[in-house]
Amino acid sequence: MADKSFFVDTTKCTACRGCQIACKQWNMNPATKTVQRGSHQNPEDLSTSTYKLVRFSEFEENGEPVWYFFADQCRHCSTPPCKIVAEINNVNAISRDSATGAVLFDPTVKVKEKEFKDIRKACPWDIPRWDDKTQGMAKCTMCIDRIREGLQPACVKTCPTGAMNFGDRDKILAMALERLEHVKKKYSKAALLNHEYVRTIFLIVDDPGKYHKHASVSKETIVAAMKRAPATVG
Ligand code: SF4
Ligand code: SF4
Ligand code: SF4
């Protein structure tokens, strides 16, 4: 099986949240009660039962309303800093699937709070989450159980607009670069986020901070986090 990647084209996202629900359903994760916090985003953040979260960013610019959507999830890094730090702490909860490149957490491995804090801090995109009751960590699995059966990840399969895409790394990267070229004609700030280092590639059209504070990370920060072996995935 070839190295895999996601392409999340935020320009096609309508924030229907189908991906978020499909992720919960496939992973048999419980629903999270909706709370009014002055935003359409629910729940507030990722958790051990929410691996995929459509982040909503709503603000006014030059007197016009702006609304951005960011279907957040693990980036399945080429050299995962979470795994590096887990190994330094002798925590055997994180592995990397050699066939696809998926970075996998084993939620049955008990991790101490201090160890988890180090692992979460190591992730440049602030993805890992920990349950203080079970002491297990969890995040997006790349739907590895579906991929091994020749199926698409649940979030990709359910997306009605083509915002979520998944496939062989070379084809997904080519798709992302082609779409970037097209979108750039209208939006000069259009960019792919950290695509040299991650398997979840986002396309955005404005400053990353306007989507989510952890949407993008500087190259220096990523290389420092991946300092053991700053390899790229093409
Ligand atoms: Fe690990 Fe974070 Fe990279 Fe996911 S995004 S593989 S949790 S370092
Ligand atoms: Fe959830 Fe699977 Fe999509 Fe990951 S790949 S966000 S586990 S549905
Ligand atoms: Fe956006 Fe597709 Fe997710 Fe709907 S299913 S929120 S369109 S990425």
Side-chain angles (χ1 to χ4, degrees), residues 28 30 42 53 68 102 109 146 149 159-161 171 198 232 234:
M28 292 190 285
N42 259 289
L53 175 65
Y68 289 140
V109 175
R146 291 178 60 88
E149 296 299 323
C159 179
T161 66
K171 291 193 184 115
V198 298
T232 66

Side-chain angles (χ1 to χ4, degrees), residues 6-232:
F6 294 89
F7 172 44
V8 188
D9 185 347
T10 67
T11 68
K12 293 186 178 178
C13 179
T14 60
C16 71
R17 287 188 279 209
C19 54
Q20 190 175 308
I21 303 302
C23 180
K24 282 212 180 242
Q25 187 183 37
W26 182 256
N27 291 291
M28 292 190 285
N29 281 335
T32 312
K33 195 170 167 48
T34 295
V35 176
Q36 175 56 271
R37 295 183 197 82
S39 162
H40 288 279
Q41 181 181 313
N42 259 289
E44 189 174 24
D45 205 358
L46 295 167
S47 71
T48 50
S49 62
T50 302
Y51 306 161
K52 178 87 172 165
L53 175 65
V54 181
R55 297 189 183 277
F56 285 59
S57 175
E58 190 180 355
F59 54 95
E60 211 177 279
E61 203 165 72
N62 303 323
E64 296 288 330
V66 183
W67 219 7
Y68 289 140
F69 313 126
F70 192 83
D72 204 8
Q73 65 173 84
C74 172
R75 308 302 194 272
H76 294 279
C77 303
S78 58
T79 304
C82 56
K83 184 170 178 289
I84 293 171
V85 168
E87 284 166 3
I88 289 170
N89 284 318
N90 293 315
V91 173
N92 294 313
I94 304 176
S95 61
R96 189 164 163 232
D97 178 58
S98 56
T100 60
V103 178
L104 304 171
F105 282 14
D106 180 347
T108 65
V109 175
K110 288 190 190 307
V111 179
K112 293 193 183 100
E113 188 172 10
K114 161 78 176 70
E115 293 163 343
F116 166 69
K117 280 184 177 166
D118 285 352
I119 291 166
R120 179 166 172 178
K121 205 169 149 199
C123 172
W125 296 276
D126 192 36
I127 297 296
R129 294 295 186 270
W130 179 78
D131 185 328
D132 60 353
K133 289 193 190 78
T134 64
Q135 299 203 309
M137 298 187 298
K139 64 157 193 71
C140 161
T141 65
M142 200 190 263
C143 281
I144 191 76
D145 46 353
R146 291 178 60 88
I147 296 167
R148 285 176 179 154
E149 296 299 323
L151 300 169
Q152 289 273 294
C155 54
V156 175
K157 173 88 178 160
T158 205
C159 179
T161 66
M164 289 296 308
N165 303 274
F166 181 82
D168 291 350
R169 168 82 186 168
D170 53 353
K171 291 193 184 115
I172 286 291
L173 192 54
M175 178 193 280
L177 290 167
E178 193 183 322
R179 181 71 183 149
L180 172 67
E181 205 176 296
H182 179 74
V183 171
K184 255 203 179 287
K185 288 176 192 156
K186 188 166 178 192
Y187 301 97
S188 61
K189 288 184 177 176
L192 300 178
L193 301 181
N194 306 129
H195 63 285
E196 303 96 330
Y197 301 96
V198 298
R199 290 187 177 78
T200 305
I201 303 166
F202 286 87
L203 169 65
I204 61 168
V205 297
D206 205 340
D207 301 326
K210 290 181 181 171
Y211 290 77
H212 171 48
K213 64 181 171 182
H214 297 294
S216 182
V217 181
S218 74
K219 188 174 174 181
E220 292 70 28
T221 302
I222 298 174
V223 171
M226 297 178 176
K227 60 188 169 193
R228 266 196 186 165
T232 66

